[in-house]
């Protein structure tokens, strides 16, 4: 890895990057018109599942039941005291909260949250969305939309005036992952499916996907997958649903499929969202899908650090694989640095370096401030290497490169109909 970038290139990169609006391709944020689905404010920030995992380590004698039984504000107070007052908040998730509070001009060293709560109580959601997008330098975000969530479905069915900064992505986990149990959900919505994967059922699943892609104007479909997910595998219902329902609809609509592979759900269910873990995925499965569906773009993010190199190699073999983001347990500066350097060295600029995975609106500020700093640093050191090779880059080069990496164009690259290579 090249040494620390020269300050002049670093300065130019960070000033251009600060003015480069990003498209955040994967979040769990919602259009403000969706009301309480959009989480924001100090109590949500502090009870983020990353911090729940950390406070359960800080207070090993406390049961999860006891924690969940507390009102959210009490949980937040406890997390503030345990992780920010009684201990040095060195973790990335803790530092993140401080970065947000500092950006808002709030006192990060306060012993209690009353002033901070007063600040948030004075905000309006629309005003705060504007402020956060500005502070984070974010132009638009992709939501994670699930019509099987009754609260969300109701809003879509009622209709609302869309905020153009919130784009849609149809999430498939609840509809497809627990087949045949999930067949019941589709049946309840009027789709004539049964628990078998008959032709009728598959065409009804395709109808469900098409209907909701249409209704929410989905720009891609997304699914998170266990590391054991395998393709080809004619015996696995999920693999069959992916092959016979998801891929045909993606091809028909000309939209990508996002594969988020490597999560082992609920290894410690008592921790709720904080109870998921990681496992090594099979890169060959990604290659086989890209080979057999050459006219479908696969936006791929993997959860295991050990999979990152293999994903770069797979993307060098199949142009319809677009690696994206440093997902979840990889969204830490030391790993973002390693992964970004490797991707630049192996893929040039043909990948999407980061997504925020924000669950709480305010997090956009820290996820992008922290990622900009690391990714800018790595990019600057690559530019220094080029200068040493006699090819210095201009500010215009830097502006163009950052736009390619962060304006979302790689999501919608159209692929020729012929096989991918
Ligand atoms: O599957 C996903 O979209 C994951 O990002 C989430 O389930 C996860 O809980 C998360 O918030 C990661 O940052
Ligand atoms: Zn996510």
């Amino acid at each position: 890895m090249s040494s620390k970038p020269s300050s002049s290139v670093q300065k130019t990169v960070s000033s251009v990057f600060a003015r480069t609006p990003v498209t955040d391709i994967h979040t769990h944020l919602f259009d403000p018109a969706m009301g309480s689905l959009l989480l924001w404010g100090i109590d949500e920030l502090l009870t983020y599942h990353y911090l729940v995992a950390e406070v359960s380590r800080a207070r090993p004698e406390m049961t999860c039941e006891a924690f969940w039984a507390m009102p959210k504000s009490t949980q937040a107070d406890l997390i503030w005291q345990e992780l920010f007052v009684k201990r040095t908040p060195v973790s990335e998730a803790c530092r993140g909260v401080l970065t947000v509070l500092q950006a808002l001009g709030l006192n990060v060293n306060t012993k209690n949250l009353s002033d901070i709560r007063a600040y948030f109580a004075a905000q309006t959601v629309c005003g705060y969305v504007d402020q956060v997008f500005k502070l984070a330098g974010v132009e638009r975000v992709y939501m994670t939309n699930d019509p099987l969530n009754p609260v969300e479905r109701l809003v879509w069915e009622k209709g609302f005036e869309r905020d153009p900064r919130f784009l849609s992505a149809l999430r498939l986990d609840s509809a497809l992952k627990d087949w045949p149990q999930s067949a019941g959900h589709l049946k309840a919505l009027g789709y004539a499916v049964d628990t078998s994967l008959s032709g009728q059922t598959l065409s009804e699943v395709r109808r469900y996907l098409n209907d909701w892609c249409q209704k929410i104007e989905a720009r891609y479909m997304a699914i998170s997958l266990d590391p054991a997910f395998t393709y080809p595998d004619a015996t696995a219902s999920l693999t069959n649903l992916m092959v016979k329902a998801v891929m045909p609809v993606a091809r028909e609509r000309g939209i990508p499929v996002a594969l988020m592979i490597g999560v082992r759900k609920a290894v410690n269910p008592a921790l709720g969202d904080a109870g998921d873990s990681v496992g090594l995925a099979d890169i060959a499965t990604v290659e086989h899908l890209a080979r057999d569906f050459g006219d479908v773009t696969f936006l791929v993010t993997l959860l295991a650090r050990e999979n990152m190199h293999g994903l770069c190699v797979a993307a060098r073999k199949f142009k319809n694989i677009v690696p994206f983001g440093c997902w979840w347990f990889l969204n830490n500066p030391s790993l973002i640095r390693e992964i970004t350097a490797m991707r630049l060295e192996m893929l040039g600029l043909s990948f999407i370096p980061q997504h925020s995975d924000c669950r709480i609106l305010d997090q956009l500020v820290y996820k992008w401030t922290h990622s900009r700093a690391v990714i800018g640093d790595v990019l600057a050191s690559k530019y220094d290497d080029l200068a040493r090779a006699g090819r210095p880059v201009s500010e215009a080069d830097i502006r163009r490169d950052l736009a390619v990496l962060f304006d979302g164009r790689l999501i919608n690259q159209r692929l020729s109909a012929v096989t991918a290579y």
Side-chain angles (χ1 to χ4, degrees), residues 223-244:
I223 190 164
S224 74
L225 296 164
D226 186 280
F229 174 79
T230 307
Y231 170 82
D233 178 358
T235 63
S237 52
L238 179 55
T239 306
N240 279 304
L241 286 161
M242 292 291 288
V243 168
K244 297 175 184 158

Side-chain angles (χ1 to χ4, degrees), residues 26 28 171 260 327 357:
H26 173 65
H28 297 270
R171 189 65 179 240
M260 310 175 74
W327 184 27
D357 228 319

Side-chain angles (χ1 to χ4, degrees), residues 86-159:
K86 292 184 188 168
R87 294 171 180 80
T88 310
V90 288
S91 78
E92 175 63 7
C94 285
R95 180 172 74 106
V97 173
L98 300 180
T99 298
V100 173
L101 298 179
Q102 189 186 45
L104 296 170
L106 298 169
N107 174 7
V108 300
N109 299 301
T110 181
K111 295 278 179 282
N112 72 62
L113 299 172
S114 49
D115 296 352
I116 294 179
R117 286 208 174 96
Y119 169 86
F120 282 100
Q123 307 306 312
T124 63
V125 62
C126 290
Y128 195 57
V129 168
D130 296 346
Q131 188 183 4
V132 165
F133 271 60
K134 193 155 178 286
L135 284 171
V138 169
E139 185 164 28
R140 63 179 78 83
V141 300
Y142 281 74
M143 302 184 278
T144 294
N145 303 106
D146 181 2
L148 296 184
N149 170 336
V151 179
E152 183 178 351
R153 185 172 63 248
L154 207 58
V155 185
W156 288 113
E157 283 169 345
K158 253 195 324 196

Side-chain angles (χ1 to χ4, degrees), residues 28-336:
H28 297 270
L29 304 177
F30 290 93
D31 189 311
M34 296 181 143
S36 61
L37 285 172
L38 176 61
L39 305 179
W40 59 287
I42 189 65
D43 290 330
E44 297 296 345
L45 262 180
L46 285 170
T47 54
Y48 181 36
H49 69 81
Y50 291 30
L51 293 171
V52 172
E54 293 175 25
V55 82
S56 78
R57 294 184 58 73
R59 292 285 304 273
E61 85 296 347
M62 176 182 67
T63 64
C64 291
E65 293 65 34
F67 176 80
W68 296 123
M70 297 173 193
K72 187 165 286 242
S73 57
T74 311
Q75 293 172 357
D77 286 333
L78 175 89
I79 288 176
W80 186 254
Q81 290 309 317
E82 294 298 336
L83 300 182
F84 294 81
V85 176
K86 292 184 188 168
R87 294 171 180 80
T88 310
V90 288
S91 78
E92 175 63 7
C94 285
R95 180 172 74 106
V97 173
L98 300 180
T99 298
V100 173
L101 298 179
Q102 189 186 45
L104 296 170
L106 298 169
N107 174 7
V108 300
N109 299 301
T110 181
K111 295 278 179 282
N112 72 62
L113 299 172
S114 49
D115 296 352
I116 294 179
R117 286 208 174 96
Y119 169 86
F120 282 100
Q123 307 306 312
T124 63
V125 62
C126 290
Y128 195 57
V129 168
D130 296 346
Q131 188 183 4
V132 165
F133 271 60
K134 193 155 178 286
L135 284 171
V138 169
E139 185 164 28
R140 63 179 78 83
V141 300
Y142 281 74
M143 302 184 278
T144 294
N145 303 106
D146 181 2
L148 296 184
N149 170 336
V151 179
E152 183 178 351
R153 185 172 63 248
L154 207 58
V155 185
W156 288 113
E157 283 169 345
K158 253 195 324 196
F160 59 98
E161 198 190 327
R162 303 272 316 248
D163 181 323
R165 297 169 295 182
F166 292 80
L167 303 177
S168 302
L170 182 65
R171 189 65 179 240
L172 308 175
D173 298 41
S174 57
L176 304 186
K177 281 180 82 173
D178 307 329
W179 201 272
Q181 287 74 24
S182 50
H185 304 317
L186 298 188
K187 215 172 184 151
L189 292 188
Y191 295 93
V193 297
D194 59 34
T195 54
S196 76
L197 289 180
S198 64
Q200 148 105 9
T201 291
L202 288 167
S203 87
E204 282 294 277
V205 173
R206 288 193 293 272
R207 188 165 72 86
Y208 164 78
L209 298 176
N210 260 313
D211 286 352
W212 280 96
C213 279
Q214 189 67 28
K215 193 174 204 50
I216 71 174
E217 298 165 45
R219 304 298 179 93
Y220 65 81
M221 292 183 279
I223 190 164
S224 74
L225 296 164
D226 186 280
F229 174 79
T230 307
Y231 170 82
D233 178 358
T235 63
S237 52
L238 179 55
T239 306
N240 279 304
L241 286 161
M242 292 291 288
V243 168
K244 297 175 184 158
V246 177
M247 302 310 166
V249 170
R251 179 182 281 149
E252 210 180 290
R253 304 190 72 84
I255 61 173
V257 175
L259 304 174
M260 310 175 74
I261 316 176
V263 54
R264 289 187 296 117
K265 284 285 180 185
V267 298
N268 182 353
L271 280 172
D273 287 334
D276 298 337
S277 186
V278 61
L280 212 52
D282 172 15
I283 294 288
T285 282
V286 176
E287 291 172 345
H288 294 152
L289 281 168
R291 175 198 62 198
D292 294 353
F293 297 93
D295 52 355
V296 173
T297 297
F298 293 95
L299 306 171
V300 183
T301 197
L302 304 178
L303 196 51
R305 180 189 186 185
E306 302 76 6
N307 274 147
M308 283 296 140
H309 187 248
L311 177 58
C312 287
V313 175
R316 291 174 62 85
K317 311 301 145 200
F318 298 98
K319 65 180 179 185
N320 58 334
I321 295 175
V322 179
F324 79 93
C326 303
W327 184 27
W328 201 343
F329 308 122
L330 297 175
N331 202 350
N332 293 301
S334 59
L335 299 171
I336 299 168

